[in-house]
């Protein structure tokens, strides 16, 4: 038992804190980084233009027209490069965009449509597009700064700093393009995709606050009011925990979030139960619940298991028939469940600065997480001995790690798998082979 306790994958030790959903929402968008880059490069261009103008004025005041003439010739030579960069950059952007579309389409069809968000949230993809667009905008701005007069005495601007800045942006664009191609190829490989999903799951679980004690949820008292959902229908993506805690503290009540993160909400359904007082005013609850069209990892530790289960099911479908991919997905399912096997679940409590419980939030329990990770893949494991053997090995490993009170769902899935294999595999030798635990499936 001690060896197992040493080798299991614990959750990262990070102090839980209530996060604002704004950063996560911006990461799920593709417009923010390129827009910010274009605005930023415009500001940088204004500074560079002023530096170039100050340099020209300084040389004219000193009467150093020879040096100024040399700078004018250099700027005219650089203008050819800047013009070529400006005309080629849009073509370059089109090539990168085409690569992204092909990669997203292949990943969506091969794995699951829910992994598309990995491409949307990819930092290297956003950085590449942002730098490319910023370089294109910079070349247009620099071209407007060139002075048509060749006389150094009448020149008002020599875009020396601007030209050097453009060349540096081109070098950065080429470097990011190489990194982008490498990162895109990694995201098209199932091992890296599954590893990213597992890493996001661990991050979401690590940011969960301390679980509620047995008496905390029961000690909130009876429900005194309900708050219904009045927004659009959609998936509950996340909640602004800090704002809800402030509202509950101001009202002197305890709020309990009725749906779980990832539940689909329709207008009129209750979303908050109020304990100990009147319901907060509607204006105080604005922007506390975020409803969208799809789930996110933010505050949703079960979403990773959902994606891994989808990948396993897609791999075991007759159209794909890729049991090795299903085994790789099961590897990460076992890793996630092993990390959560001794963690209190079912509910978490969010406190104010004085330590008083103000918000109780439901999270999936151990049985639900085990069912989410194994139930659907187990139903497709008959006829795929590689998957049934890996599934049995994973269940056996979790039985060694989980406390006694959490072994029932693991034993249930193990018995159901055994019964399904016995019914679907008539030959005794094949049946014995399929029911032999193996961490590699068929190594």
């Amino acid at each position: 038992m001690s060896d197992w306790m040493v080798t299991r994958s614990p959750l990262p030790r990070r102090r839980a804190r209530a996060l604002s959903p704004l950063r996560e929402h911006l990461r799920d968008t593709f417009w923010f980084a390129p827009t910010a880059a274009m605005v930023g490069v415009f500001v940088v261009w204004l500074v560079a233009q002023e530096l170039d103008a100050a340099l020209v004025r300084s040389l004219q005041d000193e009467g150093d027209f020879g040096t100024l003439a040399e700078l004018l010739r250099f700027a005219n030579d650089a203008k050819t490069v800047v013009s070529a960069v400006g005309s080629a950059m849009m073509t370059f952007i089109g090539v990168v965009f085409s690569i992204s579309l092909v990669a997203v389409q292949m990943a969506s069809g091969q794995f699951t449509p829910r992994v598309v968000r990995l491409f949307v949230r990819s930092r290297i993809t956003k950085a590449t597009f942002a730098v490319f667009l910023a370089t294109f905008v910079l070349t247009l701005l620099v071209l407007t700064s060139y002075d048509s007069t060749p006389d150094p005495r009448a020149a008002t601007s020599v875009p020396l700093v601007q030209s050097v800045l453009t060349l540096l942006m081109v070098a950065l664009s080429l470097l990011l393009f190489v990194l982008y191609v490498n990162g895109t190829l990694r995201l098209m490989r199932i091992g890296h995709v599954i590893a990213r999903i597992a890493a996001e799951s661990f991050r979401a679980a690590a940011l969960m606050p301390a679980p509620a004690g047995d008496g905390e949820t029961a000690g909130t008292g009876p429900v005194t009011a309900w708050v219904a959902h009045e927004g659009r229908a959609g998936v509950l993506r996340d909640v602004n925990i800090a704002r809800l805690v402030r509202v509950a503290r101001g009202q002197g009540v305890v709020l309990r979030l009725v749906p779980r993160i990832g539940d689909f909400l329709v207008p009129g359904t209750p979303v908050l139960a109020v304990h100990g007082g009147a319901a907060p005013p509607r204006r105080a609850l604005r922007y506390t619940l975020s409803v969208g069209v799809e789930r996110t990892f933010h505050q949703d530790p079960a979403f990773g298991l959902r994606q891994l289960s989808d990948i396993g099911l897609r791999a075991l479908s007759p159209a794909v028939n890729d049991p090795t991919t299903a085994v790789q997905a099961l590897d990460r399912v076992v890793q996630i469940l092993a990390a959560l096997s001794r963690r209190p679940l079912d509910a978490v409590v969010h406190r104010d600065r004085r330590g008083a419980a103000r918000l109780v939030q439901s999270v999936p329990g151990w049985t639900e997480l085990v069912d989410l990770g194994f139930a659907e893949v187990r139903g497709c494991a008959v006829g795929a001995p590689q998957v049934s053997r890996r599934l049995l090995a994973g269940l056996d490993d979790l039985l060694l790690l989980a406390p006694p009170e959490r072994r029932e769902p693991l034993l249930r899935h193990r018995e159901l798998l055994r019964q399904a294999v016995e019914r679907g595999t008539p030959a005794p030798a094949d049946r014995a082979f399929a029911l032999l635990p193996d961490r590699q499936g068929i190594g």
Side-chain angles (χ1 to χ4, degrees):
M1 176 67 74
S2 60
D3 293 338
W4 287 99
M5 295 301 294
V6 171
T7 57
R8 74 187 185 96
S9 300
L11 288 172
R13 293 186 177 182
R14 180 187 294 182
R15 186 176 64 87
R17 56 194 179 95
L19 293 178
S20 170
L22 177 60
R23 181 178 63 87
E24 294 296 326
H25 290 180
L26 291 178
R27 287 191 63 188
D28 282 332
T29 62
F30 209 82
W31 60 267
F32 179 76
T35 303
M38 289 187 290
V39 174
V41 81
F42 180 77
V43 176
V44 172
W45 170 76
L46 291 177
V47 175
Q49 187 183 43
E50 183 61 31
L51 291 176
D52 286 329
L55 177 61
V56 171
R57 290 193 300 267
S58 176
L59 292 176
Q60 288 176 343
D61 293 340
E62 294 176 0
D64 193 355
F65 298 107
T67 303
L68 188 55
E70 291 292 335
L71 293 180
L72 281 173
R73 284 191 290 270
F74 172 81
N76 288 328
D77 293 338
K79 183 178 180 180
T80 305
V81 178
V82 173
S83 301
V85 170
S87 59
M89 190 55 64
M90 287 305 297
T91 304
F92 209 34
I93 293 174
V95 171
V96 175
F97 188 67
S98 300
I99 294 175
S100 297
L101 290 180
V102 172
V104 168
Q105 185 177 9
M106 291 183 60
S108 176
Q110 184 178 358
F111 307 142
T112 171
R114 274 149 293 282
V115 304
V116 174
R117 66 183 306 276
L118 294 179
F119 292 86
V120 176
R121 292 171 63 91
S122 172
R123 290 188 176 94
I124 187 63
T125 302
K126 293 181 180 180
T128 302
F129 274 95
V131 172
F132 282 8
L133 290 174
T135 303
F136 176 71
V137 172
L138 181 61
T139 56
L140 298 181
L141 295 173
V142 171
L143 288 175
T144 64
S145 301
Y146 281 94
D147 204 328
S148 59
T149 176
D151 186 5
R153 299 177 182 275
T156 58
S157 175
V158 178
L160 176 64
V161 177
Q162 299 171 64
S163 300
V164 173
L165 180 62
T166 303
L167 296 178
L168 291 177
M169 289 292 292
V170 171
L172 180 60
S173 299
L174 295 176
L175 175 61
L176 283 177
F177 179 71
V178 175
L179 297 177
Y180 165 77
V181 172
N182 179 69
T184 302
L185 292 176
R186 285 171 60 90
L187 287 177
M188 293 174 64
R189 297 164 60 183
I190 184 60
H192 293 285
V193 171
I194 291 177
R196 285 281 300 273
I197 293 174
E200 293 275 5
S201 300
F202 283 122
R203 189 175 298 111
L207 292 175
M208 292 170 55
D214 296 335
E216 286 186 287
T217 55
T220 55
V223 177
T224 55
W226 296 91
V227 177
H229 176 56
E230 295 183 352
R232 60 175 181 172
V235 176
L236 181 61
R237 293 160 54 95
D238 48 40
V239 296
N240 194 323
I241 296 173
R243 184 186 293 269
L244 283 176
V245 169
R246 288 196 301 268
V247 171
R249 182 184 59 196
Q251 293 288 118
V253 298
V254 178
L255 300 177
R256 178 170 56 86
L257 186 65
V258 177
R260 289 176 179 166
I261 302 297
D263 287 356
F264 189 86
L265 300 181
V266 296
T269 57
V271 290
L272 289 173
V274 185
H275 299 263
R282 278 289 175 182
R283 62 178 181 275
L285 296 175
R286 289 179 181 176
Y287 310 112
T288 55
L289 302 181
S290 174
V291 176
V293 296
E294 62 180 356
R295 296 168 67 176
T296 67
F297 276 105
H298 189 218
Q299 303 178 0
D300 192 354
F303 187 42
L305 290 175
R306 175 70 273 164
Q307 293 187 74
L308 293 173
S309 179
D310 288 345
I311 291 174
L313 286 174
R314 179 70 62 93
L316 294 177
S317 64
V320 178
N321 194 22
D322 184 11
T324 302
T325 296
V327 168
Q328 289 181 281
L330 285 174
D331 291 341
R332 298 298 181 171
V333 169
V334 173
Q335 180 190 11
I336 294 173
L337 292 177
L340 297 173
S341 60
R342 295 181 178 272
R343 181 184 176 94
L345 299 169
D346 295 318
V348 294
V349 60
H350 304 273
R351 306 175 183 275
D352 59 18
R353 295 178 179 177
R354 297 181 179 180
R358 292 302 180 186
L359 176 64
V360 178
Q361 179 181 357
S362 297
V363 296
W366 171 251
T367 300
E368 295 166 305
L369 293 176
V370 172
D371 292 339
L372 178 59
F374 292 131
E376 294 173 311
V377 177
R378 175 180 53 78
C380 299
V382 178
Q386 183 180 0
V387 179
S388 63
R389 288 158 62 99
R390 179 62 185 100
L391 189 54
L392 287 171
L395 290 170
D396 289 346
D397 292 342
L398 290 174
L399 285 170
L400 291 174
L401 295 173
E405 64 273 11
R406 290 190 171 180
R407 293 175 181 171
E408 187 278 329
L410 301 173
L411 293 173
R412 171 167 53 85
H413 281 285
R414 199 183 195 288
E415 178 62 21
L416 289 174
L417 177 61
R418 185 190 64 80
Q419 294 176 7
V421 171
E422 289 181 349
R423 289 193 303 266
T425 310
D430 291 340
R431 187 164 57 245
F433 180 78
L435 292 177
L436 182 64
D438 187 344
R439 292 192 182 90
Q440 295 186 21
I442 300 177

